[in-house]
Amino acid sequence: MKIAHIIPTFNEKDNIGLMIDKIYSVGKNFPKWQNFIIIVDDHSPDGTADVVRQYKKKYKNVHLLLKKKEGLGRALIVGYQYAVKNIKADVVIPNDADFQWDPSDYPKLVKKIDQGYDVVVASRHVPGGKVVGWNWFRKLNHDISNSLLAWMVAGVHEVRDHAGNFKAIRVAGFLEKVPLIKMNNAGFSFQLHILYELGKTGAKFTEVPVIFKERKLGESKIGFNRYYIRDVFEYIKSSIIIRFDRSQRFIKYGIVGVVGLFLQTLLSKFLVNRNVDPSIAVSLGAESAIISNFLMNNYWTFNKHAISGLKMINKFIQFNTASIGAVIIQGVVVYLGTAIFGKEAWFWSMIFAIFFLVIPYSYFIYNRYIWKTHEY
Ligand code: GDD
Ligand code: MN
C-alpha cells in the first residue's frame, strides 16, 4: 500500500526533520506500507526547505514542493493533488509538522482504512480524544467553527471534529473523485470543505480518538494575525455554500414529492369518484406515488448513491416496506379526518398527513436506510 503523508510547512525548520524521521521509524513496523512524504513549503524564510533537502538525501521518497505564501488551505490542495496524480497513492495522510497530532498514531488511522472505512479522522471530540493547552480564544474559535458553523450551518454530520488536519483518506473511488482543482479555500476552511466533498462521494467515515498536544518547537501560524480575518470570513462563506449545495438534494426530493403527490391525487380522486372507500383509495394512490418516488429519487435526487441492477428489486421491496409507514400514516389520518369532519375532509386530511408527517419521515428514512447517504 502506497501512503502519501502530506505536511504543509511554514517556518518549521526545527520540526520537519524530526517529523520525517518519526514517520519512517513508525513505518518500519509495517513492511507492506510504502511511505512517501510530501512537504508543501511556502518558501519559509527560516530555511525549512534546506532541512528538507538534507532529508531527501537520507530517504528516497521525500518530495519537496515549493510555492508562494498562500495559506494552509492552498498548501494542502497542492499536496493532495500531487499525492493523487504524481505519487498515485492509495491512502493520503495529511498532518501538521509540529507534532500536535502525534504521527505515531497514523497506523491506527490506516488500520481503519484496512477495515473498510474510506475517511478516518483523528478526532478530539469522540470519547478518549481531547485538546491539551488551548487558551479561551482558541477554544472559542474552535467551538464557533466546529459546532456552530460546521455542524449547524454547514450540516456536516459525518464527523464531530471538522477542523483538524490529521486524517487518512482512501484515494480510489473517493479522493480521486473530489474536484480538488475547483477548490479555492486559502485558509483552514479547507478542512471542512474536504470533508463535505468526500461525503458527497459516498465515503464511509469514522473517527479515531487522539490527544491534541501543545506545540513544543516553533510557533503557531493560526491565530490573530493578518490572515485571521480573511480565513474566518472564508470559513463562514464556506459553511453557507455547503448548506446551499446540500439543500439542493432536499429541493429535488421536494419536486419528486410534488410529482408523486400529483399522481396520488389523480388516482385517489378517480377511485373515490367510483365509490371506493376513501381510506383505501388514498392508500392505493399512495402506492402509485411510492413507485414514482422510488424511480425519480434513485435516478435524480440520490443519483450519487444510485442503486442499479438486481439490487434494485431488493431495494424497492425495502423502500415499499418503509413506505408502508407513510401509507399507514395517511390511512390513519384520513380515517380520523373523515370520521370527525365528514367524507369531504378526506383531501385536506391527506394533505395534512403528507406535509407534516410523511415528508420528514420519508426524507429521514431515505437518507438513513435506503440510499445510505452517510454513516450514522
Ligand atoms: N505551506 C504552508 N502555508 N503551511 C502552513 C501555512 C501556510 O500558509 N500555515 C500553516 N501551515 C502549516 C504549519 O507549518 C503547520 O505544519 C500546519 O500547517 C498547522 O499550522 P499551525 O500553525 O501549527 O496551526 P495550529 O496548530 O493552530 O492548527 C490547528 O488548527 C488548524 C485549523 O483548524 C490544527 O488543528 C491543524 O491541524 C488545523 O488544520
Ligand atoms: Mn500546530
Side-chain angles (χ1 to χ4, degrees):
M1 185 194 299
K2 263 192 193 177
I3 302 176
H5 300 262
I6 301 167
I7 320 282
T9 53
F10 195 72
N11 290 344
E12 301 286 2
K13 74 167 173 18
D14 298 328
N15 286 312
I16 193 62
L18 298 173
M19 178 55 67
I20 295 170
D21 279 334
K22 190 73 194 181
I23 290 173
Y24 281 123
S25 77
V26 171
K28 278 201 187 113
N29 304 321
F30 304 90
K32 282 189 187 154
W33 299 350
Q34 202 188 351
N35 287 293
F36 291 78
I37 303 180
I38 304 164
I39 288 116
V40 191
D41 185 58
D42 290 7
H43 283 288
S44 301
D46 76 344
T48 301
D50 294 330
V51 178
V52 177
R53 286 188 194 101
Q54 290 304 313
Y55 275 77
K56 273 167 71 82
K57 292 177 192 156
K58 190 167 166 192
Y59 303 103
K60 68 175 194 302
N61 291 332
V62 172
H63 294 243
L64 172 64
L65 311 184
L66 283 168
K67 51 188 274 305
K68 62 174 194 279
K69 176 84 178 108
E70 290 171 303
L72 175 62
R74 278 304 310 161
L76 287 167
I77 292 168
V78 167
Y80 277 55
Q81 279 176 318
Y82 190 84
V84 174
K85 289 243 171 68
N86 300 63
I87 306 285
K88 303 201 178 355
D90 299 303
V91 177
V92 162
I93 304 185
N95 198 356
D96 300 343
D98 61 1
F99 289 86
Q100 288 197 270
W101 305 98
D102 189 344
S104 328
D105 286 333
Y106 85 78
K108 283 197 233 167
L109 307 186
V110 178
K111 259 175 212 144
K112 289 281 176 187
I113 296 272
D114 280 338
Q115 286 170 19
Y117 291 98
D118 309 307
V119 179
V120 186
V121 171
S123 175
R124 301 164 280 202
H125 303 310
V126 288
K130 66 171 178 184
V131 176
V132 179
W134 266 354
N135 61 22
W136 68 269
F137 181 71
R138 265 322 282 262
K139 258 194 212 117
L140 181 69
N141 250 290
H142 182 75
D143 286 346
I144 291 176
S145 57
N146 207 63
S147 308
L148 184 73
L149 291 168
W151 186 271
M152 291 174 65
V153 175
V156 174
H157 295 172
E158 281 82 354
V159 291
R160 290 271 165 189
D161 194 336
H162 308 81
N165 192 21
F166 194 31
K167 50 181 87 71
I169 307 167
R170 188 191 300 283
V171 175
F174 304 98
L175 187 57
E176 68 178 8
K177 286 195 193 150
V178 172
L180 289 163
I181 306 175
K182 287 196 202 141
M183 292 180 75
N184 53 10
N185 311 72
F188 50 77
S189 72
F190 173 79
Q191 307 294 11
L192 171 63
H193 226 113
I194 189 74
L195 291 176
Y196 175 62
E197 290 293 344
L198 287 163
K200 287 205 286 186
T201 67
K204 217 169 130 187
F205 285 74
T206 191
E207 284 176 282
V208 169
V210 297
I211 296 168
F212 187 72
K213 286 173 279 196
E214 283 181 84
R215 178 192 266 270
K216 288 201 201 77
L217 304 170
E219 274 167 28
S220 171
K221 281 90 212 167
I222 293 163
F224 206 77
N225 56 33
R226 68 195 169 109
Y227 297 107
Y228 180 75
I229 302 289
R230 173 196 77 178
D231 287 357
V232 167
F233 271 100
E234 187 185 74
Y235 200 97
I236 296 170
K237 191 178 99 190
S238 199
S239 305
I240 294 170
I241 287 173
I242 290 173
R243 168 56 65 188
F244 272 108
D245 194 38
R246 174 186 303 282
S247 52
Q248 275 181 15
R249 182 187 287 161
F250 190 73
I251 292 166
K252 285 180 179 175
Y253 164 81
I255 294 170
V256 170
V258 170
V259 172
L261 179 63
F262 182 71
L263 270 176
Q264 169 165 0
T265 309
L266 272 180
L267 188 64
S268 307
K269 264 205 154 89
F270 176 82
L271 294 172
V272 170
N273 289 344
R274 267 159 193 72
N275 270 329
V276 177
D277 186 83
S279 71
I280 292 174
V282 169
S283 300
L284 285 174
E287 182 59 34
S288 73
I290 288 168
I291 296 170
S292 113
N293 284 355
F294 180 71
L295 295 174
M296 284 184 73
N297 277 324
N298 191 52
Y299 293 114
W300 192 43
T301 320
F302 296 93
N303 58 355
K304 293 222 171 63
H305 305 265
I307 302 139
S308 59
L310 282 178
K311 273 194 193 147
M312 268 186 91
I313 299 170
N314 216 338
K315 272 289 167 184
F316 183 65
I317 294 169
Q318 221 183 75
F319 186 84
N320 252 286
T321 315
S323 305
I324 287 173
V327 176
I328 292 172
I329 291 170
Q330 293 174 73
V332 168
V333 172
V334 169
Y335 176 81
L336 291 175
T338 50
I340 299 167
F341 302 107
K343 200 177 163 182
E344 302 73 47
W346 73 270
F347 181 74
W348 289 109
S349 308
M350 180 182 89
I351 297 292
F352 172 84
I354 289 171
F355 276 90
F356 293 102
L357 303 168
V358 172
I359 287 175
Y361 162 85
S362 302
Y363 194 65
F364 172 74
I365 299 278
Y366 296 175
N367 274 287
R368 181 151 185 173
Y369 299 107
I370 309 290
W371 285 281
K372 296 201 171 90
T373 53
H374 53 269
E375 278 291 295
Y376 285 81

